[in-house]
Amino acid sequence: MKAFTQIPPGTQILIGRAARRRRVLERVICSVFEGWSYEEIIPPIFDYYDVFIKGMGTGPEEQIYRFIDREGNILALRPEFTSLVAKTVATRLASAPRPIRLFYSGEVLRFEKPKGGRQREFAQIGIEHYGGIGKTSDVEVLLIAVEAFQRLGVPAFQINLGSVDFFGGIVDRMELPAGQIGELKDILNVKDQSGLEALLETLPLGDRRKEILRAIPHLTGGRAIIEEARQLVRNPRSVEALDHLEHIYSIFERFDLAQHLTIDLGEIRGFDYYTGILFRAYVRDLGFEVASGGRYDGLPSAFGEDLPAVGFSFSLDRLEQMVTPALSMPDPDAISIDADNGFEQALQHRRLGKAVKLCL
Amino acid sequence: MLVIALCKGRYLEPSLSMLSRANIRFPDYVEYGAADVGVAGRDVIMESRADLLQPLDLNFGHCRIAVAGPEGAHSINGSDHPTVRVATKYPRITLDYYNTRGIPVEIIALSGSIELAPLIGLADRIVDLVETGRTLKENGLEIVEIIAESSARLLVNRAGYQTKREEVLGMIHALEKVVQCESSI
């Protein structure tokens, strides 16, 4: 019988060194979060299905594991933490003083193709910052991400920072139907120039606007990119987004971190809930992003409270694939003790905090 | 250092695109970061749904992904049976295409000689790559509808694009010039 001999696709089991590596990684990152005064939240593993639909939007709904309880409620296993935390902040923590800083660590489940060392059940660890001042809290979460990479001993990490407002400000004025905006986003997300040309031919836009759209996939780089983008847009939403990105970039420059930051104005992927900056972090020679996050001011209002929010999460399963000193897990050193008559000796060593191994 | 994934003999053979089409697994190398940059047909990328940047149309290997049926067939539907049987090596593209048109489809996934399927009564229609249309004609088939245009694309892994940006951008620009030169001849 299959159930007794095979594992279901999408699950994985961590044993020994792999499990130790998971815990070490978790501890290092938690200590960084705690060092910036974030408090742990342990949310439930399931909640009402609608909670996650509110958060993630209707695109990824087919990835959600859902089930029906005995009263007929539709529930879901958490596919992410952000919606759960947003709901908690807007309800249980409604009267707690702002800003609220929370971190979480645990498994999430998504029915998707396992890839990049990530199964359908995978581990996320991340932070949520609620009710802060936009500018400052954006910088705060980015600096926390940087510190976590540094503590893990990752030398070549790259944070790719964009803003939904830059693109948003541009398309706001074009008054395109939602379907065409979706198509445009899909094309820009893969920087598909020829696809963009084909689409532009069908759009009722003037030459100047088409030029702006053509430029978007190339607007990736350092400070110069922000200047280049300024020549293209005049609408307040896009301009404000550029001011903000420049502010963040300056701070990274000031602390000698600019080499880890890439401004990417073509970066517009992600869940529907993002409202301001959004970012993804990559490490050299790992093909998939290891962290992602951004600002989602609208999300808490879905649960009854209008509150600015920003956060990000690391994918532990992906980080574990990196080889850094912090993660090279030696086998534990234990004193071998003959099990016959050895308990006294073993207890003595244990009192001194030493590891023992009874030999039978 | 940039790792570039190329199909064996790709630039030696005159029919470069044929090889990329033959190599279905190609985008996976790039998506997983085993290579930073690669080349594959748009058909392969659409079918694999790999999450990759596709910054450049290399402007060779032009062909179409099309629904074809026996000569005189004017509809993507088969017989009067409500479900149409379609032979293809693009099961995902085919399923999406028929699903969005509300037509129930039974997909017969084949890996070669797709054009024989209608002849032997295995399928009502096929979804296949069409370059000149000669193979179709030889088998008594013709295009019913075009699903998408395809050509060779440069693929870039998202992480590689960020962590090796100078090298990747340098390569894109160099290739862009070659493509522009060739298309202006």
Side-chain angles (χ1 to χ4, degrees):
Chain A
M1 191 173 158
K2 192 164 100 178
F4 299 144
T5 55
Q6 292 182 18
I7 58 167
T11 60
Q12 68 175 357
I13 303 163
L14 302 184
I15 303 171
R17 183 176 292 203
R20 290 203 301 278
R21 185 183 295 126
R22 161 74 49 93
R23 296 302 177 208
V24 165
L25 193 53
E26 218 177 1
R27 271 203 298 277
V28 171
I29 298 175
C30 283
S31 75
V32 174
F33 293 163
E34 283 168 345
W36 288 84
S37 298
Y38 283 70
E39 279 203 286
E40 182 160 14
I41 173 173
I42 305 181
I45 194 134
F46 66 88
D47 204 321
Y48 293 111
Y49 172 69
D50 289 343
V51 169
F52 303 110
I53 286 301
K54 267 234 159 94
M56 295 170 73
T58 46
E61 65 195 1
E62 56 196 31
Q63 296 179 358
I64 299 178
Y65 285 89
R66 68 195 112 164
F67 57 102
I68 295 170
D69 70 8
R70 294 189 177 196
E71 289 165 357
N73 298 306
I74 303 176
L75 303 172
L77 297 173
R78 61 188 183 206
E80 42 94 36
F81 281 94
T82 299
S83 308
L84 280 177
V85 179
K87 180 185 166 186
T88 310
V89 167
T91 54
R92 170 96 176 258
L93 299 175
S95 55
R98 273 62 174 143
I100 294 179
R101 295 183 171 92
L102 296 168
F103 80 85
Y104 55 79
S105 178
E107 278 70 38
V108 296
L109 292 107
R110 285 184 208 163
F111 192 81
E112 61 184 9
K113 185 181 151 202
K115 62 184 178 186
R118 201 166 92 170
Q119 293 291 333
R120 288 176 180 154
E121 180 185 7
F122 56 94
Q124 279 193 332
I125 182 168
I127 55 173
E128 307 282 342
H129 188 298
Y130 286 95
I133 299 164
K135 265 191 168 178
T136 323
S137 46
D138 283 355
V139 176
E140 177 179 320
V141 300
L142 284 166
L143 291 179
I144 293 172
V146 168
E147 187 187 324
F149 278 122
Q150 289 169 335
R151 299 246 176 201
L152 290 169
V154 184
F157 63 92
Q158 202 64 41
I159 295 173
N160 188 33
L161 177 70
S163 167
V164 295
D165 289 324
F166 178 74
F167 177 71
I170 293 169
V171 289
D172 279 352
R173 300 156 67 88
M174 293 182 177
E175 290 168 355
L176 298 171
Q180 284 182 331
I181 293 177
E183 212 177 321
L184 189 57
K185 274 186 173 177
D186 288 345
I187 286 173
L188 293 175
N189 277 334
V190 298
K191 300 191 190 289
D192 176 3
Q193 284 183 41
S194 59
L196 183 61
E197 283 309 320
L199 180 66
L200 287 182
E201 266 176 42
T202 69
L203 296 182
L205 298 173
D207 285 347
R208 208 185 106 74
R209 290 186 166 173
K210 287 186 180 177
E211 270 320 300
I212 297 173
L213 292 177
R214 279 192 193 101
I216 288 178
H218 305 289
L219 292 175
T220 162
R223 179 175 282 280
I225 289 305
I226 301 173
E227 290 315 313
E228 206 178 315
R230 282 194 194 283
Q231 310 303 316
L232 294 169
V233 292
R234 277 191 292 271
N235 77 80
R237 192 175 164 196
S238 301
V239 171
E240 227 170 274
L242 291 174
D243 290 344
H244 186 39
L245 291 175
E246 188 165 6
H247 169 71
I248 295 173
Y249 200 82
S250 304
I251 291 175
F252 270 64
E253 278 176 333
R254 173 147 46 107
F255 299 115
D256 212 11
L257 294 168
Q259 75 273 20
H260 294 297
L261 189 65
T262 305
I263 304 294
D264 189 349
L265 297 168
E267 173 75 65
I268 44 177
R269 295 175 297 155
F271 292 147
D272 290 345
Y273 56 51
Y274 288 115
T275 53
I277 61 156
L278 75 170
F279 61 91
R280 284 157 206 272
Y282 298 93
V283 297
R284 225 181 151 94
D285 298 324
L286 201 60
F288 294 84
E289 75 222 25
V290 293
S292 64
R295 173 160 289 280
Y296 25 87
D297 289 344
L299 189 57
S301 76
F303 302 106
E305 193 187 349
D306 211 1
L307 206 60
V310 60
F312 77 93
S313 69
F314 283 107
S315 171
L316 288 181
D317 303 81
R318 288 180 180 165
L319 280 177
E320 278 158 13
Q321 295 168 49
M322 290 182 311
V323 190
T324 73
L327 296 179
S328 66
M329 295 302 307
D331 289 324
D333 267 334
I335 302 164
S336 294
I337 293 166
D338 184 17
D340 300 328
N341 315 316
F343 287 114
E344 195 182 333
Q345 214 187 333
L347 287 172
Q348 248 171 28
H349 283 299
R350 290 302 304 136
R351 267 183 228 117
L352 296 168
K354 296 210 168 104
V356 296
K357 187 178 196 177
L358 293 175
C359 304
L360 300 173
Chain B
M1 187 188 67
L2 270 189
V3 181
I4 302 167
L6 289 177
C7 305
K8 218 159 130 185
R10 185 167 178 78
Y11 288 108
L12 304 173
E13 300 275 338
S15 56
L16 300 166
S17 61
M18 294 296 283
L19 275 168
S20 83
R21 267 180 274 141
N23 199 339
I24 301 292
R25 306 293 301 166
F26 198 81
D28 292 341
Y29 289 100
V30 181
E31 190 186 14
Y32 280 75
D36 303 302
V37 177
V39 177
R42 178 159 181 255
D43 58 315
V44 180
I45 305 162
M46 280 173 70
E47 180 64 22
S48 78
R49 291 189 195 156
D51 182 28
L52 292 160
L53 300 176
Q54 305 163 34
L56 196 59
D57 184 343
L58 295 173
N59 206 20
F60 67 78
H62 287 280
C63 47
R64 289 160 290 176
I65 308 164
V67 184
E71 273 163 23
H74 293 297
S75 129
I76 60 171
N77 288 311
S79 50
D80 49 8
H81 193 275
T83 295
V84 53
R85 284 176 307 156
V86 182
T88 185
K89 60 179 176 194
Y90 303 106
R92 282 174 152 182
I93 295 174
T94 305
L95 193 64
D96 275 357
Y97 187 77
Y98 276 91
N99 279 354
T100 51
R101 280 155 186 78
I103 300 168
V105 63
E106 182 182 330
I107 289 174
I108 300 153
L110 302 177
S111 54
S113 303
I114 317 284
E115 62 284 350
L116 298 179
L119 283 182
I120 55 173
L122 186 60
D124 305 312
R125 296 286 180 270
I126 64 169
V127 167
D128 205 6
L129 266 195
V130 182
E131 211 169 335
T132 59
R134 212 182 68 198
T135 315
L136 288 185
K137 204 166 179 189
E138 284 168 2
N139 290 284
L141 301 171
E142 62 185 20
I143 289 178
V144 182
E145 262 183 61
I146 290 163
I147 298 179
E149 304 279 339
S150 177
S151 59
R153 300 299 165 98
L154 183 73
L155 308 178
V156 181
N157 172 269
R158 288 186 185 274
Y161 191 85
Q162 296 308 328
T163 56
K164 303 175 185 176
R165 191 154 37 95
E166 297 301 315
E167 294 155 273
V168 170
L169 287 181
M171 181 172 175
I172 293 173
H173 291 147
L175 280 169
E176 212 164 13
K177 274 185 194 150
V178 175
V179 172
Q180 275 166 5
C181 266
E182 284 188 352
S183 51
S184 64
I185 290 171

